[in-house]
Structure formats: structure tokens, C-alpha cells
mmCIF file of all heavy atoms in Angstrom:
data_model
loop_
_atom_site.group_PDB
_atom_site.id
_atom_site.type_symbol
_atom_site.label_atom_id
_atom_site.label_comp_id
_atom_site.label_asym_id
_atom_site.label_seq_id
_atom_site.Cartn_x
_atom_site.Cartn_y
_atom_site.Cartn_z
ATOM 1 N N PHE A 1 0.831 -1.200 0.000
ATOM 2 C CA PHE A 1 0.000 0.000 0.000
ATOM 3 C C PHE A 1 0.868 1.253 0.000
ATOM 4 O O PHE A 1 0.627 2.195 -0.780
ATOM 5 C CB PHE A 1 -0.921 0.001 1.212
ATOM 6 C CG PHE A 1 -1.706 1.281 1.389
ATOM 7 C CD1 PHE A 1 -2.794 1.557 0.586
ATOM 8 C CD2 PHE A 1 -1.330 2.219 2.346
ATOM 9 C CE1 PHE A 1 -3.512 2.744 0.728
ATOM 10 C CE2 PHE A 1 -2.034 3.401 2.498
ATOM 11 C CZ PHE A 1 -3.130 3.659 1.688
ATOM 12 N N VAL A 2 1.882 1.280 0.849
ATOM 13 C CA VAL A 2 2.787 2.430 0.912
ATOM 14 C C VAL A 2 3.490 2.627 -0.428
ATOM 15 O O VAL A 2 3.613 3.759 -0.924
ATOM 16 C CB VAL A 2 3.800 2.245 2.055
ATOM 17 C CG1 VAL A 2 4.920 3.278 1.955
ATOM 18 C CG2 VAL A 2 3.112 2.353 3.402
ATOM 19 N N ASP A 3 3.950 1.542 -1.032
ATOM 20 C CA ASP A 3 4.633 1.642 -2.325
ATOM 21 C C ASP A 3 3.711 2.251 -3.380
ATOM 22 O O ASP A 3 4.141 3.070 -4.199
ATOM 23 C CB ASP A 3 5.097 0.261 -2.782
ATOM 24 C CG ASP A 3 6.226 -0.290 -1.918
ATOM 25 O OD1 ASP A 3 6.868 0.515 -1.218
ATOM 26 O OD2 ASP A 3 6.452 -1.519 -1.942
ATOM 27 N N ALA A 4 2.438 1.853 -3.360
ATOM 28 C CA ALA A 4 1.486 2.383 -4.338
ATOM 29 C C ALA A 4 1.250 3.869 -4.129
ATOM 30 O O ALA A 4 1.219 4.651 -5.089
ATOM 31 C CB ALA A 4 0.166 1.614 -4.241
ATOM 32 N N VAL A 5 1.094 4.287 -2.885
ATOM 33 C CA VAL A 5 0.853 5.705 -2.593
ATOM 34 C C VAL A 5 2.053 6.544 -3.009
ATOM 35 O O VAL A 5 1.908 7.599 -3.655
ATOM 36 C CB VAL A 5 0.550 5.901 -1.094
ATOM 37 C CG1 VAL A 5 0.478 7.381 -0.751
ATOM 38 C CG2 VAL A 5 -0.752 5.215 -0.710
ATOM 39 N N VAL A 6 3.248 6.089 -2.657
ATOM 40 C CA VAL A 6 4.462 6.844 -2.989
ATOM 41 C C VAL A 6 4.663 6.925 -4.497
ATOM 42 O O VAL A 6 5.114 7.951 -5.030
ATOM 43 C CB VAL A 6 5.689 6.198 -2.307
ATOM 44 C CG1 VAL A 6 6.980 6.851 -2.790
ATOM 45 C CG2 VAL A 6 5.573 6.318 -0.789
ATOM 46 N N ALA A 7 4.282 5.857 -5.208
ATOM 47 C CA ALA A 7 4.451 5.835 -6.658
ATOM 48 C C ALA A 7 3.405 6.666 -7.386
ATOM 49 O O ALA A 7 3.495 6.854 -8.600
ATOM 50 C CB ALA A 7 4.408 4.389 -7.154
ATOM 51 N N GLY A 8 2.387 7.158 -6.663
ATOM 52 C CA GLY A 8 1.345 7.963 -7.287
ATOM 53 C C GLY A 8 0.182 7.159 -7.810
ATOM 54 O O GLY A 8 -0.727 7.712 -8.447
ATOM 55 N N THR A 9 0.167 5.847 -7.540
ATOM 56 C CA THR A 9 -0.962 5.009 -7.929
ATOM 57 C C THR A 9 -2.115 5.239 -6.954
ATOM 58 O O THR A 9 -1.892 5.403 -5.753
ATOM 59 C CB THR A 9 -0.564 3.522 -7.900
ATOM 60 O OG1 THR A 9 0.588 3.335 -8.726
ATOM 61 C CG2 THR A 9 -1.696 2.636 -8.391
ATOM 62 N N VAL A 10 -3.338 5.255 -7.448
ATOM 63 C CA VAL A 10 -4.491 5.462 -6.574
ATOM 64 C C VAL A 10 -4.724 4.201 -5.745
ATOM 65 O O VAL A 10 -4.981 3.125 -6.280
ATOM 66 C CB VAL A 10 -5.755 5.797 -7.387
ATOM 67 C CG1 VAL A 10 -6.953 5.953 -6.459
ATOM 68 C CG2 VAL A 10 -5.538 7.077 -8.186
ATOM 69 N N ALA A 11 -4.597 4.344 -4.436
ATOM 70 C CA ALA A 11 -4.830 3.227 -3.506
ATOM 71 C C ALA A 11 -5.687 3.747 -2.366
ATOM 72 O O ALA A 11 -5.427 4.830 -1.828
ATOM 73 C CB ALA A 11 -3.507 2.680 -2.984
ATOM 74 N N ARG A 12 -6.699 2.982 -1.995
ATOM 75 C CA ARG A 12 -7.609 3.416 -0.929
ATOM 76 C C ARG A 12 -7.698 2.318 0.123
ATOM 77 O O ARG A 12 -7.910 1.151 -0.224
ATOM 78 C CB ARG A 12 -8.998 3.727 -1.496
ATOM 79 C CG ARG A 12 -8.992 4.744 -2.632
ATOM 80 C CD ARG A 12 -10.397 5.032 -3.116
ATOM 81 N NE ARG A 12 -10.416 5.985 -4.223
ATOM 82 C CZ ARG A 12 -10.621 5.650 -5.489
ATOM 83 N NH1 ARG A 12 -10.847 4.375 -5.808
ATOM 84 N NH2 ARG A 12 -10.629 6.561 -6.438
ATOM 85 N N ALA A 13 -7.578 2.704 1.401
ATOM 86 C CA ALA A 13 -7.528 1.698 2.454
ATOM 87 C C ALA A 13 -8.321 2.125 3.682
ATOM 88 O O ALA A 13 -8.317 3.300 4.068
ATOM 89 C CB ALA A 13 -6.076 1.423 2.864
ATOM 90 N N ALA A 14 -9.000 1.139 4.283
ATOM 91 C CA ALA A 14 -9.639 1.312 5.593
ATOM 92 C C ALA A 14 -8.647 0.789 6.617
ATOM 93 O O ALA A 14 -8.422 -0.425 6.715
ATOM 94 C CB ALA A 14 -10.947 0.531 5.650
ATOM 95 N N TRP A 15 -8.052 1.696 7.364
ATOM 96 C CA TRP A 15 -6.933 1.367 8.248
ATOM 97 C C TRP A 15 -7.409 1.263 9.685
ATOM 98 O O TRP A 15 -7.901 2.231 10.253
ATOM 99 C CB TRP A 15 -5.857 2.453 8.104
ATOM 100 C CG TRP A 15 -4.676 2.313 8.999
ATOM 101 C CD1 TRP A 15 -4.058 1.159 9.385
ATOM 102 C CD2 TRP A 15 -3.946 3.379 9.634
ATOM 103 N NE1 TRP A 15 -2.991 1.427 10.202
ATOM 104 C CE2 TRP A 15 -2.901 2.787 10.370
ATOM 105 C CE3 TRP A 15 -4.080 4.761 9.638
ATOM 106 C CZ2 TRP A 15 -1.986 3.545 11.119
ATOM 107 C CZ3 TRP A 15 -3.180 5.519 10.364
ATOM 108 C CH2 TRP A 15 -2.145 4.911 11.100
ATOM 109 N N GLN A 16 -7.265 0.068 10.256
ATOM 110 C CA GLN A 16 -7.567 -0.142 11.668
ATOM 111 C C GLN A 16 -6.258 -0.322 12.416
ATOM 112 O O GLN A 16 -5.547 -1.315 12.218
ATOM 113 C CB GLN A 16 -8.473 -1.373 11.864
ATOM 114 C CG GLN A 16 -9.936 -1.024 11.976
ATOM 115 C CD GLN A 16 -10.439 -0.123 10.857
ATOM 116 O OE1 GLN A 16 -10.471 -0.511 9.698
ATOM 117 N NE2 GLN A 16 -10.834 1.089 11.200
ATOM 118 N N MET A 17 -5.934 0.660 13.271
ATOM 119 C CA MET A 17 -4.652 0.631 13.958
ATOM 120 C C MET A 17 -4.574 -0.531 14.931
ATOM 121 O O MET A 17 -5.550 -0.864 15.602
ATOM 122 C CB MET A 17 -4.423 1.931 14.721
ATOM 123 C CG MET A 17 -4.149 3.114 13.820
ATOM 124 S SD MET A 17 -5.633 4.051 13.479
ATOM 125 C CE MET A 17 -5.864 4.844 15.053
ATOM 126 N N ALA A 18 -3.397 -1.128 14.992
ATOM 127 C CA ALA A 18 -3.155 -2.199 15.951
ATOM 128 C C ALA A 18 -3.073 -1.605 17.349
ATOM 129 O O ALA A 18 -2.742 -0.417 17.519
ATOM 130 C CB ALA A 18 -1.859 -2.933 15.612
ATOM 131 N N PRO A 19 -3.382 -2.387 18.386
ATOM 132 C CA PRO A 19 -3.326 -1.872 19.762
ATOM 133 C C PRO A 19 -1.946 -1.295 20.084
ATOM 134 O O PRO A 19 -0.920 -1.882 19.735
ATOM 135 C CB PRO A 19 -3.614 -3.116 20.615
ATOM 136 C CG PRO A 19 -4.323 -4.051 19.704
ATOM 137 C CD PRO A 19 -3.798 -3.792 18.336
ATOM 138 N N GLY A 20 -1.942 -0.150 20.717
ATOM 139 C CA GLY A 20 -0.692 0.475 21.118
ATOM 140 C C GLY A 20 0.022 1.222 20.015
ATOM 141 O O GLY A 20 1.037 1.873 20.260
ATOM 142 N N ASP A 21 -0.479 1.156 18.781
ATOM 143 C CA ASP A 21 0.173 1.829 17.657
ATOM 144 C C ASP A 21 -0.113 3.327 17.721
ATOM 145 O O ASP A 21 -1.252 3.738 17.934
ATOM 146 C CB ASP A 21 -0.344 1.250 16.339
ATOM 147 C CG ASP A 21 0.625 1.493 15.190
ATOM 148 O OD1 ASP A 21 1.632 2.177 15.411
ATOM 149 O OD2 ASP A 21 0.368 0.997 14.078
ATOM 150 N N ASP A 22 0.921 4.134 17.530
ATOM 151 C CA ASP A 22 0.759 5.592 17.485
ATOM 152 C C ASP A 22 0.451 5.987 16.041
ATOM 153 O O ASP A 22 1.337 6.001 15.179
ATOM 154 C CB ASP A 22 2.030 6.282 17.975
ATOM 155 C CG ASP A 22 1.856 7.790 18.137
ATOM 156 O OD1 ASP A 22 0.912 8.347 17.541
ATOM 157 O OD2 ASP A 22 2.648 8.404 18.868
ATOM 158 N N TRP A 23 -0.806 6.300 15.778
ATOM 159 C CA TRP A 23 -1.220 6.599 14.409
ATOM 160 C C TRP A 23 -0.519 7.828 13.846
ATOM 161 O O TRP A 23 -0.281 7.920 12.637
ATOM 162 C CB TRP A 23 -2.733 6.775 14.332
ATOM 163 C CG TRP A 23 -3.296 7.872 15.186
ATOM 164 C CD1 TRP A 23 -3.665 7.778 16.493
ATOM 165 C CD2 TRP A 23 -3.544 9.222 14.806
ATOM 166 N NE1 TRP A 23 -4.137 8.985 16.951
ATOM 167 C CE2 TRP A 23 -4.080 9.892 15.940
ATOM 168 C CE3 TRP A 23 -3.385 9.929 13.619
ATOM 169 C CZ2 TRP A 23 -4.444 11.240 15.904
ATOM 170 C CZ3 TRP A 23 -3.747 11.275 13.588
ATOM 171 C CH2 TRP A 23 -4.266 11.908 14.723
ATOM 172 N N THR A 24 -0.144 8.759 14.721
ATOM 173 C CA THR A 24 0.508 9.977 14.225
ATOM 174 C C THR A 24 1.900 9.674 13.677
ATOM 175 O O THR A 24 2.331 10.297 12.703
ATOM 176 C CB THR A 24 0.614 11.026 15.342
ATOM 177 O OG1 THR A 24 1.426 10.519 16.409
ATOM 178 C CG2 THR A 24 -0.762 11.379 15.887
ATOM 179 N N GLU A 25 2.614 8.719 14.277
ATOM 180 C CA GLU A 25 3.953 8.386 13.804
ATOM 181 C C GLU A 25 3.896 7.742 12.426
ATOM 182 O O GLU A 25 4.666 8.085 11.527
ATOM 183 C CB GLU A 25 4.637 7.444 14.804
ATOM 184 C CG GLU A 25 4.867 8.034 16.191
ATOM 185 C CD GLU A 25 5.865 9.184 16.183
ATOM 186 O OE1 GLU A 25 6.692 9.257 15.255
ATOM 187 O OE2 GLU A 25 5.814 10.025 17.099
ATOM 188 N N SER A 26 2.971 6.789 12.253
ATOM 189 C CA SER A 26 2.854 6.113 10.956
ATOM 190 C C SER A 26 2.423 7.087 9.865
ATOM 191 O O SER A 26 2.972 7.088 8.753
ATOM 192 C CB SER A 26 1.855 4.958 11.061
ATOM 193 O OG SER A 26 2.277 3.997 12.000
ATOM 194 N N LEU A 27 1.433 7.924 10.174
ATOM 195 C CA LEU A 27 0.940 8.873 9.175
ATOM 196 C C LEU A 27 1.979 9.938 8.835
ATOM 197 O O LEU A 27 2.123 10.323 7.673
ATOM 198 C CB LEU A 27 -0.327 9.554 9.676
ATOM 199 C CG LEU A 27 -1.665 8.899 9.365
ATOM 200 C CD1 LEU A 27 -2.802 9.805 9.782
ATOM 201 C CD2 LEU A 27 -1.784 8.551 7.888
ATOM 202 N N SER A 28 2.699 10.420 9.835
ATOM 203 C CA SER A 28 3.692 11.465 9.576
ATOM 204 C C SER A 28 4.796 10.950 8.662
ATOM 205 O O SER A 28 5.281 11.683 7.786
ATOM 206 C CB SER A 28 4.283 11.981 10.889
ATOM 207 O OG SER A 28 4.975 10.952 11.584
ATOM 208 N N ALA A 29 5.190 9.688 8.823
ATOM 209 C CA ALA A 29 6.229 9.122 7.965
ATOM 210 C C ALA A 29 5.750 9.032 6.514
ATOM 211 O O ALA A 29 6.457 9.430 5.581
ATOM 212 C CB ALA A 29 6.631 7.741 8.483
ATOM 213 N N LEU A 30 4.531 8.502 6.308
ATOM 214 C CA LEU A 30 4.009 8.364 4.948
ATOM 215 C C LEU A 30 3.752 9.731 4.318
ATOM 216 O O LEU A 30 4.072 9.958 3.142
ATOM 217 C CB LEU A 30 2.725 7.537 4.978
ATOM 218 C CG LEU A 30 2.036 7.297 3.623
ATOM 219 C CD1 LEU A 30 2.990 6.625 2.646
ATOM 220 C CD2 LEU A 30 0.772 6.470 3.807
ATOM 221 N N ALA A 31 3.181 10.658 5.085
ATOM 222 C CA ALA A 31 2.895 11.997 4.562
ATOM 223 C C ALA A 31 4.177 12.712 4.153
ATOM 224 O O ALA A 31 4.233 13.375 3.107
ATOM 225 C CB ALA A 31 2.141 12.810 5.608
ATOM 226 N N THR A 32 5.206 12.584 4.966
ATOM 227 C CA THR A 32 6.484 13.231 4.654
ATOM 228 C C THR A 32 7.090 12.665 3.376
ATOM 229 O O THR A 32 7.614 13.402 2.536
ATOM 230 C CB THR A 32 7.458 13.054 5.825
ATOM 231 O OG1 THR A 32 6.906 13.660 6.996
ATOM 232 C CG2 THR A 32 8.796 13.688 5.519
ATOM 233 N N LYS A 33 7.017 11.353 3.219
ATOM 234 C CA LYS A 33 7.564 10.721 2.015
ATOM 235 C C LYS A 33 6.838 11.217 0.767
ATOM 236 O O LYS A 33 7.481 11.542 -0.246
ATOM 237 C CB LYS A 33 7.430 9.201 2.145
ATOM 238 C CG LYS A 33 7.971 8.426 0.949
ATOM 239 C CD LYS A 33 9.465 8.620 0.774
ATOM 240 C CE LYS A 33 10.010 7.771 -0.362
ATOM 241 N NZ LYS A 33 11.446 8.056 -0.631
ATOM 242 N N VAL A 34 5.515 11.299 0.826
ATOM 243 C CA VAL A 34 4.734 11.770 -0.326
ATOM 244 C C VAL A 34 5.062 13.231 -0.638
ATOM 245 O O VAL A 34 5.260 13.606 -1.793
ATOM 246 C CB VAL A 34 3.229 11.594 -0.063
ATOM 247 C CG1 VAL A 34 2.403 12.239 -1.163
ATOM 248 C CG2 VAL A 34 2.872 10.117 0.052
ATOM 249 N N ALA A 35 5.115 14.068 0.411
ATOM 250 C CA ALA A 35 5.395 15.493 0.203
ATOM 251 C C ALA A 35 6.811 15.707 -0.325
ATOM 252 O O ALA A 35 7.032 16.557 -1.196
ATOM 253 C CB ALA A 35 5.195 16.255 1.505
ATOM 254 N N ALA A 36 7.772 14.944 0.184
ATOM 255 C CA ALA A 36 9.156 15.083 -0.268
ATOM 256 C C ALA A 36 9.309 14.706 -1.732
ATOM 257 O O ALA A 36 10.195 15.209 -2.427
ATOM 258 C CB ALA A 36 10.078 14.227 0.599
ATOM 259 N N ASP A 37 8.431 13.836 -2.221
ATOM 260 C CA ASP A 37 8.464 13.427 -3.632
ATOM 261 C C ASP A 37 7.646 14.351 -4.528
ATOM 262 O O ASP A 37 7.450 14.056 -5.705
ATOM 263 C CB ASP A 37 7.946 11.997 -3.766
ATOM 264 C CG ASP A 37 8.931 10.972 -3.204
ATOM 265 O OD1 ASP A 37 10.092 11.355 -2.941
ATOM 266 O OD2 ASP A 37 8.542 9.804 -3.020
ATOM 267 N N GLY A 38 7.115 15.437 -3.958
ATOM 268 C CA GLY A 38 6.411 16.424 -4.757
ATOM 269 C C GLY A 38 4.900 16.341 -4.726
ATOM 270 O O GLY A 38 4.223 17.127 -5.388
ATOM 271 N N GLY A 39 4.346 15.408 -3.964
ATOM 272 C CA GLY A 39 2.897 15.266 -3.893
ATOM 273 C C GLY A 39 2.290 16.065 -2.763
ATOM 274 O O GLY A 39 2.956 16.421 -1.792
ATOM 275 N N GLY A 40 0.994 16.360 -2.892
ATOM 276 C CA GLY A 40 0.266 17.057 -1.840
ATOM 277 C C GLY A 40 -0.383 16.072 -0.888
ATOM 278 O O GLY A 40 -0.812 14.984 -1.297
#
């Protein structure tokens, strides 16, 4: 899923966080990668 998003392919997911997972850390990493590659 991450590879598809970074590559610019349309991917849609219903994400259920695992117990104890910090959703902000996972999202910030993916968002930063997309933005650094020129995406909004």
C-alpha cells in the first residue's frame, strides 16, 4: 500500500490501527515521504 501511494498510484484503504500503535507516527512518515516526492 505504501509503495502504491508513494508511486502515485491510486490506492484506498480502511486502516484499523493495531493496539498500542501511534497513528501519528505512521501517518507522519508516509505523509512526509509523499510530500518530499512532490505530492500534496
Side-chain angles (χ1 to χ4, degrees):
F1 173 76
V2 168
D3 291 341
V5 173
V6 172
T9 305
V10 178
R12 305 182 181 104
W15 177 37
Q16 264 51 65
M17 289 95 73
D21 202 355
D22 188 341
W23 60 273
T24 62
E25 297 294 337
S26 299
L27 270 187
S28 63
L30 180 57
T32 300
K33 180 64 176 174
V34 173
D37 289 347

